[in-house]
Structures are given as C-alpha cells and as structure tokens.
Amino acid sequence: MSTSEGSFSLISPKPGVFVFSVAGDVDIDNSDLAQDWAERVRLNDGELTVVDLSESTFISSDFLNILLGLRQDHEDRGRILILVASRHAAARAPLATTGLSKFFTIVPDLASALSA
C-alpha cells in the first residue's frame, strides 16, 4: 500500500535546461498526474531534461513506461535526457531489475546532471 503520495515539479534553472522532480510514490493512484507532468516535459523546448528521482520512494511500471516515452521523445528530437538516482535511490532497483537502466544516462546527483 502506498503511504507517500507522489509529487511532481518542473523548473528551468537555466535557459535550455529543465528539471522534472519526482518525490514520494508514483503508482497507479497518481499515474495520470505523472503522465500530465511528463507531457509538460515533452512540450518544453530545452536541450537538456533532467528527471530527478532522488526523492522518489517507489516507482511503478506505469512510470517506467512514462520514462521510456520521454527517452524516445528526446531521442527523436535530438535532446538529452538524464536521470538522477543515487546508488541508494528507490528508483534504481526497478530500473536495474527490468534492465531499463542500460537505456538511460543515470547520474548520482543533480549537480552531475546539470554539468553534463
């Protein structure tokens, strides 16, 4: 059972860069909201999008599909997508278990992503 409701935000710390932050649980209860936020990410015109998963506590298969869609969109448009997930982040396990981690650039912290 989910005990930590997910929250999402999108900021632009500098021109051409967007940070999509995900906190708490992303599961079936809020996957529609996650999809809405991902659509905002798709609509930005930045060169770099960072998805910060460092504050996520659970990500569902629905959210993994959303991330795959973002990856494909960015690749098709010649944009860069980087995931932030420390070695201990809850997001690391589902990405590794499903084999999806090999399809993403994953860095341990936001500073590393923004310097890419």
Side-chain angles (χ1 to χ4, degrees):
M1 180 191 305
S2 173
T3 58
S4 177
E5 186 175 325
S7 65
F8 312 93
S9 65
L10 182 64
I11 62 166
S12 180
K14 58 185 179 180
V17 176
F18 289 85
V19 178
F20 176 40
S21 297
V22 178
D25 290 357
V26 183
D27 55 25
I28 194 151
D29 292 335
N30 58 11
S31 63
D32 288 344
L33 183 58
Q35 184 62 50
D36 291 345
W37 278 97
E39 188 60 27
R40 292 180 189 189
V41 171
R42 281 189 190 93
L43 294 175
N44 80 56
D45 59 352
E47 301 163 10
L48 169 65
T49 300
V50 176
V51 179
D52 186 353
L53 301 168
S54 58
E55 297 297 320
S56 64
T57 52
F58 174 82
I59 58 173
S60 68
S61 59
D62 288 340
F63 191 68
L64 291 175
N65 283 326
I66 290 169
L67 289 175
L68 282 172
L70 283 176
R71 179 193 165 278
Q72 187 63 53
D73 177 75
H74 279 65
E75 184 176 298
D76 291 348
R77 296 170 64 189
R79 296 165 51 196
I80 299 168
L81 177 69
I82 298 176
L83 304 184
V84 174
S86 71
R87 190 176 319 173
H88 304 290
R92 281 278 192 171
L95 288 165
T97 302
T98 59
L100 294 177
S101 58
K102 65 185 173 188
F103 295 105
F104 294 95
T105 299
I106 303 173
V107 298
D109 54 50
L110 187 56
S112 298
L114 293 176
S115 67

